Amino acid sequence: MKPTIQAVKGTREFYPENMENRQWLYGQIRKVSELFGYQEWDGPFLEKIDLYAAKSGEELVKEQAFVFSDRGGDSVTLRPELTPSLARMVAQKQNELVYPLRWWSFGPFWRYERPQKGRTREFFQWNIDQIGVNSPEADAELVAICASFLKSVEISPEQVLISINHRKLMEQELIALGIEKEKHKTIFRLIDRRDKMHADEWNAYGVENGLSLNDLENLKTLLDDKELWKKSEELVRIFNALEKMGVKEYVRYDPSIIRGLDYYTGIVFEAWDVTGDGRAILGGGHYDNLVSDVGGDPLPGVGFAMGDVMATLLLQKFGKLPESVNLADTALVTVFDDSLIGSSLNLASQLRNEGIKTVCYPEAAKLQKQLKFADRMGIQVVLVLGPDEAQNGQVTIKNLKTRNQIQVKISEAAASVKELLANPQGL
RNA sequence: GUGGGUGUAGCUCAAUGGCAGAGCGCCGCUCUGUGGAAGCGGAUGUUGUGGGUUCGAUCCCCAUCACCCACCCCA
């Protein structure tokens, strides 16, 4: 039987086991964010398209936003990213907020693109930003948060590394090569694509964009210079800070990291599977003008975003997603026959009153069937209330893990179940 | 938006221009007061949709839709 109405292209359906993973990821994100003293916040899911027109980069707005007319005829869009909402919310209360702001968020976003591996049209994103301070150490803190996240989900530096670069350093070096400022945006795109194109293709692309062969050679030398960061006082301080924070092994300098978004003005960074598998797991950087772009006074910030789709793929690849626990902490009260339904309902209610998560089988059925149900749902504690037990005011408690069972007085059932749930090997 | 691939049972996939298959899963029984194992038995298909070629199409051709992958862009 096939459903006649399919899910919308690029959306995902979260069956309970997937939902467990999503909630687990959210929990990891929360844990790391709060560990660094960040506060959770959120913006609207619907925004006016004009909000993004300002700075997000042309393509994101024109090609990839979900835009609808509402009933009043206004153009609204499902948010494709969070940073513009952040900038506005900061600008609106600019003089009341306490700086530096440390804010994080995890919520849904939409982008109208062709779905493929690691990319859907509806996805969740972790955003985390520090706003109102302009120190390399603040930049380093965000990188350290990335590293701490990776560490907390047991991804090692042999599996994923964070690559860092600095846009001002790159601009300064391009100027030193005699490449004028007007061309920098194009050159950045070129740099961004180096890993994706064949060498000769890349050369041709460079020449197309007005570079001489000499320029290209110089650029290649620049991009292969893994010591280039030493020329940037800021990067030196950032790497220093990262060392002190104990996350240096997760980080490397990479002069080819540039990033697509236009609003970055300082450091930029991305986390990648070291084998180059897939795409960037997270990305971010330092921005100076975002708040002023939406009408506030200039306020610097640094932040990054991580999508749940790539993150989940990565965790799956390395076997780091937790196993489903289903109803492992829940008890099942079986229903022996129609005459005992009432007793079972009563017992289940008694357990719930004691705070025990309890399922009562919804009809009389073979014990075999009810136990099989428990087994498949991951339930480990089952209570049997049959005629023999009922006669003595007792109930049988069975541990499905060890296959052992005991009989206790109904009045003591809750205590025994609690004990068993706390110590599954105890029976 | 561009290019490529795939559509067959609930799932994963096989097959052949001439009766539509397997594994897994599901249901039942062995087993009317005890789950995971085993054995036995059982159900399930307009072969994505529409058209064409053919005596005959699941197979070949065309169209269409859906999904997947890559590019673009990006989380």
Side-chain angles (χ1 to χ4, degrees):
Chain A
M1 168 93 86
K2 295 226 161 109
T4 44
I5 310 259
Q6 292 182 307
V8 172
K9 188 203 260 292
T11 59
R12 286 168 298 161
E13 300 178 299
F14 292 87
Y15 288 84
E17 64 269 28
N18 305 320
M19 198 61 196
E20 274 187 71
N21 286 336
R22 180 171 126 195
Q23 289 300 90
W24 173 83
L25 183 67
Y26 190 9
Q28 294 294 317
I29 285 168
R30 170 187 301 281
K31 192 179 77 186
V32 172
S33 303
E34 290 180 349
L35 196 58
F36 280 80
Y38 284 64
Q39 296 174 287
E40 190 173 11
W41 71 286
D42 210 343
F45 297 177
L46 290 174
E47 289 277 13
K48 292 181 181 165
I49 187 72
D50 315 288
L51 179 68
Y52 306 99
K55 261 293 173 181
S56 295
E58 298 265 308
E59 173 130 5
L60 193 63
V61 180
K62 285 191 186 146
E63 315 278 347
Q64 295 199 338
F66 269 90
V67 186
F68 305 95
S69 289
D70 68 17
R71 287 176 188 274
D74 287 336
S75 249
V76 296
T77 179
L78 288 163
R79 61 182 187 182
E81 60 162 337
L82 188 61
T83 310
S85 306
L86 170 64
R88 182 191 56 213
M89 283 170 64
V90 171
Q92 279 169 183
K93 296 206 170 191
Q94 190 151 13
N95 296 326
E96 319 169 26
L97 296 169
V98 180
Y99 300 96
L101 247 41
R102 287 187 168 88
W103 286 6
W104 72 278
S105 177
F106 183 78
F109 295 85
W110 295 265
R111 287 185 194 173
Y112 195 86
E113 65 180 336
R114 290 279 276 267
Q116 54 195 287
K117 197 169 189 180
R119 286 290 176 269
T120 56
R121 288 184 171 182
E122 179 178 70
F123 56 97
F124 288 85
Q125 202 177 67
W126 175 27
N127 281 267
I128 181 162
D129 293 90
Q130 182 172 188
I131 291 184
V133 66
N134 210 356
S135 74
E137 288 71 25
D139 292 348
E141 178 171 297
L142 271 292
V143 177
I145 289 170
C146 291
S148 297
F149 170 78
L150 293 172
K151 205 180 267 183
S152 98
V153 296
E154 295 176 9
I155 296 290
S156 75
E158 286 74 41
Q159 294 167 326
V160 172
L161 281 176
I162 304 161
S163 298
I164 308 182
N165 195 13
H166 200 295
R167 281 200 170 177
K168 283 195 181 118
L169 170 66
M170 295 311 283
E171 281 170 4
Q172 170 195 314
E173 291 300 309
L174 290 180
I175 284 167
L177 291 180
I179 300 174
E180 57 269 35
K181 220 165 180 168
E182 295 72 51
K183 284 193 186 162
H184 286 187
K185 207 169 156 181
T186 322
I187 305 297
F188 279 173
R189 284 174 67 89
L190 184 64
I191 294 173
D192 207 28
R193 255 164 243 198
R194 193 177 177 208
D195 288 337
K196 288 184 183 168
M197 299 171 105
H198 283 293
D200 40 350
E201 252 182 317
W202 191 77
N203 285 342
Y205 188 78
V207 172
E208 241 172 74
N209 284 290
L211 286 186
S212 69
L213 289 177
N214 190 34
D215 288 339
L216 274 173
E217 281 313 308
N218 288 336
L219 190 55
K220 277 187 230 172
T221 311
L222 190 67
L223 294 180
D224 290 334
D225 184 359
K226 302 295 181 196
E227 304 295 313
L228 191 62
W229 60 278
K230 290 178 178 165
K231 291 190 183 175
S232 160
E233 193 205 329
E234 279 191 33
L235 279 175
V236 170
R237 279 175 63 181
I238 285 167
F239 282 113
N240 217 341
L242 289 168
E243 187 175 0
K244 292 284 189 277
M245 285 187 273
V247 296
K248 194 187 170 196
E249 70 274 15
Y250 276 99
V251 181
R252 70 175 166 195
Y253 175 70
D254 184 345
S256 65
I257 296 294
I258 285 294
R259 300 194 50 69
L261 291 173
D262 295 342
Y263 48 64
Y264 294 120
T265 52
I267 68 157
V268 284
F269 56 96
E270 289 177 348
W272 281 86
D273 184 330
V274 293
T275 64
D277 242 21
R279 51 195 79 229
I281 297 147
L282 57 83
H286 181 105
Y287 44 85
D288 281 328
N289 307 318
L290 222 46
V291 175
S292 54
D293 286 338
V294 295
D297 294 326
L299 202 57
V302 52
F304 69 84
M306 181 183 80
D308 75 308
V309 182
M310 261 314 292
T312 303
L313 278 176
L314 181 87
L315 289 161
Q316 218 159 37
K317 171 178 169 179
F318 291 118
K320 301 300 184 188
L321 286 175
E323 288 208 17
S324 171
V325 295
N326 281 316
L327 299 181
D329 57 351
T330 303
L332 172 71
V333 176
T334 57
V335 173
F336 194 84
D337 60 30
D338 285 335
S339 74
L340 285 162
I341 286 184
S343 309
S344 288
L345 287 171
N346 194 258
L347 174 59
S349 169
Q350 196 182 313
L351 297 181
R352 291 189 198 106
N353 286 339
E354 292 295 319
I356 298 166
K357 296 176 188 171
T358 306
V359 171
C360 188
Y361 206 81
E363 61 183 358
K366 284 185 183 178
L367 271 186
Q368 179 176 261
K369 192 172 174 190
Q370 300 188 50
L371 283 165
K372 185 165 188 175
F373 166 78
D375 188 44
R376 300 200 54 184
M377 291 305 292
I379 292 173
Q380 288 171 23
V381 176
V382 173
L383 292 90
V384 179
L385 189 51
D388 298 347
E389 289 88 349
Q391 207 168 11
N392 322 316
Q394 293 203 311
V395 60
T396 295
I397 301 177
K398 182 176 172 77
N399 181 345
L400 265 61
K401 266 243 166 93
T402 63
R403 314 191 69 137
N404 296 330
Q405 61 185 49
I406 48 166
Q407 274 199 24
V408 302
K409 283 189 203 149
I410 286 186
S411 59
E412 291 163 9
S416 300
V417 168
K418 267 189 194 170
E419 200 178 315
L420 183 53
L421 284 170
N423 179 16
Q425 297 308 320
L427 172 62

